[in-house]
Amino acid sequence: MGKFDWINSVHIYFVILNRINKYLKCLIRTTEHEKIEKYFYYLAVELLRIVPFTEDNSIFLNLNDSILLLKNDINFLVEDLEKILKENSKTFINIKQIRNKYEHEPHNLNSAFSTGHSSYSAMGFYCRNKLISIDTIQLTYILYDLNCLFD
């Protein structure tokens, strides 16, 4: 891949990461239930664009999707994303479940709780009677590592 092709290919992932960072800031700043729900959804969608994974009795990166299509040109990518995924596997599974229910079964996704204050937000959903929750502290761990990866 040529130098300019590489830059053009990677640029979109910096844009996505920038959006994720903005969504997290908005999420932390708001206490409005509807906004918390909206920002969690936006953040989940974008996050799964950077860290593509699948589940089959365990969680592993999808090496043929998203930024991992550039793995031959960015030699540290697979190892670093794998580490981020393994350290935060439960959070990633929750993110994916919430995102999938939002898109494919909105009638089976019911907001259980939403809370937010000056530095923390949490969101819980019932997905077919199963409570799935996620909070900004869990997301911060992931985003810190992703920002270091892209630094």
Side-chain angles (χ1 to χ4, degrees):
M1 179 182 300
K3 178 170 60 173
F4 295 110
D5 293 332
W6 186 86
I7 290 169
N8 287 331
S9 296
V10 170
H11 176 261
I12 186 62
Y13 297 102
F14 282 95
V15 171
I16 292 169
L17 184 60
N18 188 48
R19 272 190 230 133
I20 292 169
N21 286 319
K22 286 180 182 178
Y23 294 146
L24 182 65
K25 288 177 191 174
C26 292
L27 196 55
I28 290 171
R29 289 183 188 143
T30 190
T31 58
E32 296 176 41
H33 171 76
E34 292 81 18
K35 286 185 178 181
I36 290 172
E37 190 173 314
K38 177 176 78 170
Y39 290 128
F40 264 122
Y41 175 70
Y42 291 160
L43 197 146
V45 168
E46 297 291 10
L47 190 57
L48 294 175
R49 292 177 69 192
I50 291 184
V51 185
F53 70 92
T54 56
E55 300 170 71
D56 186 18
N57 295 328
S58 65
I59 186 170
F60 53 93
L61 289 173
N62 182 348
L63 299 177
N64 297 312
D65 198 7
S66 188
I67 195 170
L68 290 168
L69 292 170
L70 305 172
K71 65 186 172 284
N72 294 332
D73 300 301
I74 309 172
N75 60 354
F76 58 87
L77 195 58
V78 173
E79 183 179 330
D80 289 356
L81 284 178
E82 220 163 56
K83 181 177 182 261
I84 293 169
L85 182 63
K86 295 295 182 199
E87 289 176 354
N88 302 283
S89 60
K90 185 173 188 237
T91 303
F92 274 106
I93 289 169
N94 287 347
I95 289 169
K96 193 170 191 176
Q97 286 179 337
I98 292 169
R99 194 277 323 255
N100 287 349
K101 296 300 181 195
Y102 251 98
E103 290 183 1
H104 305 293
E105 295 182 55
H107 61 282
N108 284 325
L109 184 71
N110 298 306
S111 180
F113 66 88
S114 168
T115 183
H117 53 80
S118 63
S119 62
Y120 175 84
S121 289
M123 191 83 204
F125 296 94
Y126 281 110
C127 301
R128 294 188 180 186
N129 299 324
K130 177 184 174 192
L131 181 63
I132 300 173
S133 63
I134 189 160
D135 63 54
T136 52
I137 293 173
Q138 295 166 322
L139 295 170
T140 300
Y141 289 127
I142 294 169
L143 290 180
Y144 175 81
D145 289 339
L146 285 175
N147 281 292
C148 288
L149 174 70
F150 281 82
D151 191 13

